[in-house]
Amino acid sequence: MSDSAYVHGYSIEESQRLSDQANTLSHLLHHDSVFHPAGLVLEAGCGTGAQTVIVAPQNPQCSFVSIDIAEDSLAKAGENIKGNKIKNVRFQSADVFDLPFNNESFDHVFVCFLLEPLRKPVEALVSLKRVLKKGGTITVIEGDHGSAYYHPRSPAAQATIQCLIDVQASMGGDSLIGRRLYPLLVTAGFEGVSASPRIVYADAGRPEMVDGFTRKTFIAMVEGVRQPAISRGLITEEEWNRGIADLYRSADSDGTFCYTFFKAVGKKS
Amino acid sequence: MSDSAYVHGYSIEESQRLSDQANTLSHLLHHDSVFHPAGLVLEAGCGTGAQTVIVAPQNPQCSFVSIDIAEDSLAKAGENIKGNKIKNVRFQSADVFDLPFNNESFDHVFVCFLLEPLRKPVEALVSLKRVLKKGGTITVIEGDHGSAYYHPRSPAAQATIQCLIDVQASMGGDSLIGRRLYPLLVTAGFEGVSASPRIVYADAGRPEMVDGFTRKTFIAMVEGVRQPAISRGLITEEEWNRGIADLYRSADSDGTFCYTFFKAVGKKS
């Protein structure tokens, strides 16, 4: 987004990670991402379309305008929906802080993993509110890296997670934003705000979550900040390696892992 | 229980707290505490009957034997079920590590907040398995104090929670046991183990949870270790007071609070 670098790159591995995440989590996050009444939906920060390919098909009564500031991501998103034969989405390059739309253009706004890297999340929400019709809804989904815990516990593993939090904070983001969605939406002036946690839990009895979430989503995301964390002196290479090995222990047959996303819905009155 | 002191006293305030907790959380924890096929249920560690008064009436097809090692708790539990006109419970004083029942006496075992203070939770589960019939089920519910997080974040508040964790650990307990239920049941030899998180989330849109859980359950529990925490030098009185004030901030209109319980079910084959 315009006001900070985005911690994730747009490598092939990253695209794969975002797709893996969306597939594993789609029910948990999106089973209730259904927009009534039918109308025009603005998806802000669509990235490579990982959420678009889930949410657009389950809302055939709606037309989507999915925006992102990154042109290369939009190109991938376009291929993504073509591959999925989705017809109700139009992509557009746009900055969430300077939206090229008239006031009250949209019936619904949908935002997933947009706010976390932003320095000014309330201003982003206020900007989105401008283009939302009166009576329209906003849906916001964000993670919270402070919600991650696991067995066996490990200070070394926790240090690597803290590196992820610190690297994202150094770029102006707040990766613990999930728990703040309710006050953020209220502060931005939305009404009837309802927030709910969506907890991901993985143990050996749920092998698809262990692989799809613990390993390929969460640990992969932590591993994504290896280089900046070590080069900035947040952690030594040895400590890093030990911490990552300990994180993988939580994906063993006697390990468990928890992480919570938050979803909030509000109305413009 | 026999192998460690229990961190909660049995004061009137404590009885009230356990009741408040049970009322607020009953749906979240017990909506699926239903035992099939009908039969004899052993509730181990019933305390003052806070869970008994919820679970026994919703299982009229079953008879309960509810045990605890503390006679004064059992006396209160007896009054509790009489007041609630519950007829399918018999209370008995017993030690979970030395159960006065024959092998394979029960169709189901139900355990809620029993394991946390125990030094040897697996041995407790193995002892309970002995009195369970083949094909019978065990249901275990425990909290996890490491799952608590909140907004606004506060190192001072976190220090008071750490005191609670440390005081419980010093008596041999593990107040972060919730995340370990799956491996504990597997280690104890149960099969088909299924564990699930039960997340409590409170914000100003859910005032009954803010009052019933954030204030009257969680913060009240933390405040319960004020004296031992300060007298053992884990924290100064000033730090304690600041931390508790910060915890109460999470119950303000712009605050949020999360805590997760875990429930696991296994079978004896």
Side-chain angles (χ1 to χ4, degrees):
Chain A
M1 289 295 105
S2 64
D3 76 342
S4 73
Y6 189 47
V7 72
H8 308 305
Y10 290 98
S11 62
I12 294 170
E13 292 76 16
E14 181 60 12
S15 293
Q16 186 57 45
R17 188 188 71 73
L18 291 172
S19 270
D20 285 344
Q21 173 174 301
N23 291 335
T24 312
L25 298 176
S26 58
H27 181 76
L28 192 72
L29 300 184
H30 296 309
H31 70 91
D32 53 355
S33 295
V34 178
F35 306 113
H36 292 294
L40 194 61
V41 180
L42 175 64
E43 181 193 13
C46 64
T48 60
Q51 316 304 318
T52 318
V53 297
I54 299 162
V55 174
Q58 75 183 28
N59 286 279
Q61 77 286 3
C62 293
S63 295
F64 286 74
V65 177
S66 294
I67 64 165
D68 205 281
I69 201 163
E71 305 264 4
D72 53 348
S73 293
L74 286 175
K76 280 177 194 159
E79 290 164 29
N80 218 345
I81 66 151
K82 229 185 271 174
N84 284 277
K85 297 185 178 166
I86 296 166
K87 308 278 191 199
N88 59 334
V89 181
R90 179 169 68 75
F91 290 104
Q92 184 171 340
S93 170
D95 181 348
V96 71
F97 293 99
D98 186 23
L99 293 165
F101 306 113
N102 292 332
N103 292 351
E104 304 182 13
S105 300
F106 295 92
D107 299 282
H108 305 283
V109 170
F110 173 72
V111 157
C112 189
F113 309 142
L114 169 75
L115 301 182
E116 177 198 300
L118 302 183
R119 270 178 217 283
K120 297 179 173 173
V122 170
E123 291 186 15
L125 291 170
V126 168
S127 175
L128 292 164
K129 201 173 103 202
R130 180 184 68 78
V131 302
L132 185 61
K133 290 180 188 169
K134 281 174 187 158
T137 69
I138 185 166
T139 301
V140 182
I141 300 172
E142 297 289 340
D144 190 313
H145 294 355
S147 74
Y149 54 96
Y150 41 87
H151 174 75
R153 305 200 300 268
S154 155
Q158 201 56 39
T160 66
I161 296 174
Q162 193 58 46
C163 285
L164 174 64
I165 294 168
D166 291 345
V167 167
Q168 293 183 268
S170 73
M171 295 190 296
D174 176 12
S175 62
L176 292 83
I177 198 168
R179 71 189 73 178
R180 290 205 290 144
L181 287 190
Y182 179 89
L184 285 172
L185 265 71
V186 169
T187 303
F190 291 99
E191 303 205 346
V193 177
S194 169
S196 62
R198 310 289 166 112
I199 187 166
V200 179
Y201 167 71
D203 64 30
R206 307 177 180 210
E208 74 294 350
M209 289 308 257
V210 174
D211 195 55
F213 191 80
T214 309
R215 288 199 190 96
K216 290 186 178 157
T217 301
F218 189 80
I219 301 178
M221 186 164 56
V222 175
E223 289 188 296
V225 298
R226 181 184 198 279
Q227 193 272 327
I230 293 171
S231 71
R232 291 176 198 186
L234 299 178
I235 196 167
T236 68
E237 189 168 352
E238 194 192 336
E239 287 166 340
W240 179 269
N241 292 340
R242 198 179 335 132
I244 294 294
D246 279 3
L247 269 185
Y248 276 106
R249 276 283 291 114
S250 73
D252 283 355
S253 63
D254 62 344
T256 67
F257 189 88
C258 286
Y259 184 93
T260 302
F261 295 88
F262 289 82
K263 185 170 189 171
V265 179
K267 231 177 187 162
K268 176 174 172 178
S269 64
Chain B
M1 288 300 107
S2 63
D3 75 342
S4 73
Y6 189 48
V7 73
H8 309 304
Y10 291 97
S11 63
I12 293 168
E13 293 75 17
E14 180 62 12
S15 293
Q16 187 56 47
R17 188 188 71 72
L18 292 172
S19 269
D20 285 345
Q21 172 175 300
N23 291 335
T24 312
L25 298 177
S26 59
H27 181 75
L28 191 72
L29 301 184
H30 296 309
H31 70 89
D32 53 357
S33 295
V34 179
F35 306 113
H36 291 295
L40 194 61
V41 180
L42 174 65
E43 182 192 12
C46 64
T48 60
Q51 316 304 320
T52 318
V53 297
I54 300 163
V55 175
Q58 75 183 27
N59 286 280
Q61 77 286 5
C62 293
S63 296
F64 287 72
V65 177
S66 294
I67 64 165
D68 205 280
I69 201 163
E71 304 264 4
D72 53 348
S73 294
L74 286 175
K76 281 177 193 157
E79 290 164 28
N80 219 344
I81 66 152
K82 229 185 269 172
N84 283 277
K85 297 186 179 164
I86 296 166
K87 307 276 191 199
N88 59 336
V89 181
R90 179 169 67 78
F91 290 105
Q92 184 171 341
S93 170
D95 181 348
V96 70
F97 292 100
D98 186 22
L99 293 166
F101 306 112
N102 291 332
N103 291 352
E104 303 182 14
S105 300
F106 295 92
D107 299 282
H108 305 283
V109 170
F110 173 71
V111 158
C112 189
F113 309 143
L114 169 76
L115 301 181
E116 178 199 300
L118 302 183
R119 272 177 215 283
K120 297 180 174 174
V122 170
E123 291 186 16
L125 292 170
V126 168
S127 174
L128 291 164
K129 201 173 104 206
R130 180 184 68 79
V131 302
L132 185 60
K133 290 180 187 168
K134 281 175 186 158
T137 69
I138 185 166
T139 301
V140 182
I141 300 173
E142 297 289 339
D144 190 313
H145 294 354
S147 74
Y149 54 97
Y150 41 88
H151 173 74
R153 305 200 299 268
S154 156
Q158 200 56 40
T160 65
I161 296 174
Q162 193 59 47
C163 286
L164 174 63
I165 294 168
D166 290 346
V167 167
Q168 294 185 266
S170 73
M171 296 190 295
D174 176 12
S175 64
L176 293 83
I177 198 169
R179 73 190 71 179
R180 290 204 291 144
L181 288 190
Y182 180 89
L184 285 173
L185 264 71
V186 169
T187 303
F190 290 101
E191 304 207 344
V193 176
S194 169
S196 63
R198 310 289 166 111
I199 188 167
V200 179
Y201 167 72
D203 64 29
R206 307 177 180 211
E208 75 293 351
M209 288 308 257
V210 173
D211 195 55
F213 191 81
T214 308
R215 288 199 191 96
K216 290 186 179 158
T217 301
F218 188 79
I219 301 179
M221 187 164 55
V222 175
E223 289 188 297
V225 298
R226 182 183 196 279
Q227 193 272 327
I230 293 171
S231 70
R232 291 176 198 186
L234 298 177
I235 196 166
T236 68
E237 189 167 353
E238 195 191 336
E239 288 166 340
W240 179 268
N241 292 339
R242 198 180 335 130
I244 294 294
D246 279 4
L247 269 185
Y248 276 106
R249 276 282 293 113
S250 72
D252 283 355
S253 63
D254 63 343
T256 65
F257 189 88
C258 288
Y259 185 93
T260 301
F261 295 88
F262 289 80
K263 185 171 190 171
V265 179
K267 231 177 186 163
K268 176 174 173 178
S269 63

